[in-house]
Amino acid sequence: MTSTSELKYKRILLKVSGEVLMGDQGFGIDMKTVQAVAEEIAEVARTGVELCLVIGGGNIFRGLSKAAAGMERSSADYMGMLATVMNALAMQNALEQLGIDTRVQSAIQMNAVCEPFIRRRAIRHLEKGRVVIFAAGTGAPYFTTDTAAALRAAEMDCDALFKGTSVDGVYSADPKKDKSAQRYDSLNYMDVLSRDLKVMDASAVSLMRENDIPIVVFSIRTEGELDKVIHGGGTHTVISN
Ligand code: UDP
């Protein structure tokens, strides 16, 4: 365990794709995988890092793919946002089983299930050591949870936006398909945007660039990695100015 004074980042927002939660089953929520990710998060929460979470919904429902299949885009997107609420509740449950206090705040009001998003209240939760999980994305269709993560990271005055993926950083091509793909230790925002590197949506990257908040890309599937990266170690790519 490391003291907070050694922390490189004191308050972060961690974005986890919905796909990370489906494990090997190819769809939905695999509770074993949720528990494994929750353990990674709990480890850093215990060191005193103030943690915000945004979880995607792609393991359950993606608006764009249903819109392509003939559904009205806005309705499909609202369904996608509801999927993120299910993931948020699964993660809340897994974290609380590990003894971590959490609150879920949703951009779409769902008072019987979780709190509405109230920025000042969320900050207070963080100060009290609770992990705050932001659900329902931005609350608006035509956005993604990457953009929601960037928006909340800026609103919550986070030191960095962490993107937990299944690989250990940003590569020149998909390392699972192209053996010659090169990994970067650092990049600037414009590199990511102009070369269309698949890290986060362009709108999320632009928002982080305008607000000078670094994006840290690392593998959430590697045990202990989140804790290492938060303390400035581990393998990761930093995107900054
Ligand atoms: N979504 C939306 N507005 C938001 C965030 C999400 O409409 O602010 C919808 C959108 O349909 C998206 C779905 O929710 O496809 C799930 O989110 P996302 O695809 O970002 O999840 P991830 O890829 O991270 O699992």
Side-chain angles (χ1 to χ4, degrees), residues 50-71:
E50 293 183 352
L51 261 174
C52 311
L53 289 182
V54 167
I55 307 175
N59 54 323
I60 300 171
F61 201 93
R62 229 184 259 285
L64 205 54
S65 61
K66 306 295 169 183
M71 200 174 168

Side-chain angles (χ1 to χ4, degrees), residues 15-19 55-59 61-64 73-74 76-84 87 136-148 163 201:
K15 160 75 206 290
V16 181
S17 299
E19 279 169 7
I55 307 175
N59 54 323
F61 201 93
R62 229 184 259 285
L64 205 54
R73 172 77 193 263
S74 297
D77 278 342
Y78 278 115
M79 290 171 74
M81 287 182 254
L82 297 181
T84 73
N87 284 337
T138 59
Y142 296 93
F143 287 98
T144 64
T145 50
D146 276 358
T147 309
K163 165 100 179 180
D201 295 342

Side-chain angles (χ1 to χ4, degrees), residues 193-213:
L193 292 170
S194 62
R195 289 160 62 187
D196 195 23
L197 295 171
K198 303 285 178 231
V199 187
M200 297 193 105
D201 295 342
S203 49
V205 176
S206 300
L207 197 56
M208 294 298 82
R209 177 172 173 249
E210 279 158 25
N211 291 285
D212 205 8
I213 298 175

Side-chain angles (χ1 to χ4, degrees), residues 89 103 129 133 141 186 194 208 220 223:
L89 295 180
R103 292 291 185 272
I133 308 172
S186 61
S194 62
M208 294 298 82
I220 189 83
E223 210 181 313

Side-chain angles (χ1 to χ4, degrees), residues 23-79:
D24 297 328
Q25 66 187 22
F27 176 81
I29 303 173
D30 175 41
M31 272 322 283
K32 276 212 159 56
T33 309
V34 177
Q35 276 151 8
V37 176
E39 268 164 34
E40 297 298 307
I41 295 167
E43 188 181 4
V44 298
R46 289 190 195 106
T47 67
V49 179
E50 293 183 352
L51 261 174
C52 311
L53 289 182
V54 167
I55 307 175
N59 54 323
I60 300 171
F61 201 93
R62 229 184 259 285
L64 205 54
S65 61
K66 306 295 169 183
M71 200 174 168
E72 189 211 355
R73 172 77 193 263
S74 297
S75 301
D77 278 342
Y78 278 115
M79 290 171 74

Side-chain angles (χ1 to χ4, degrees), residues 141-172:
Y142 296 93
F143 287 98
T144 64
T145 50
D146 276 358
T147 309
L151 172 66
R152 297 292 184 240
E155 279 182 289
M156 300 300 290
D157 203 13
C158 289
D159 299 321
L161 168 55
F162 273 54
K163 165 100 179 180
T165 69
S166 56
V167 289
D168 59 359
V170 182
Y171 285 77
S172 53

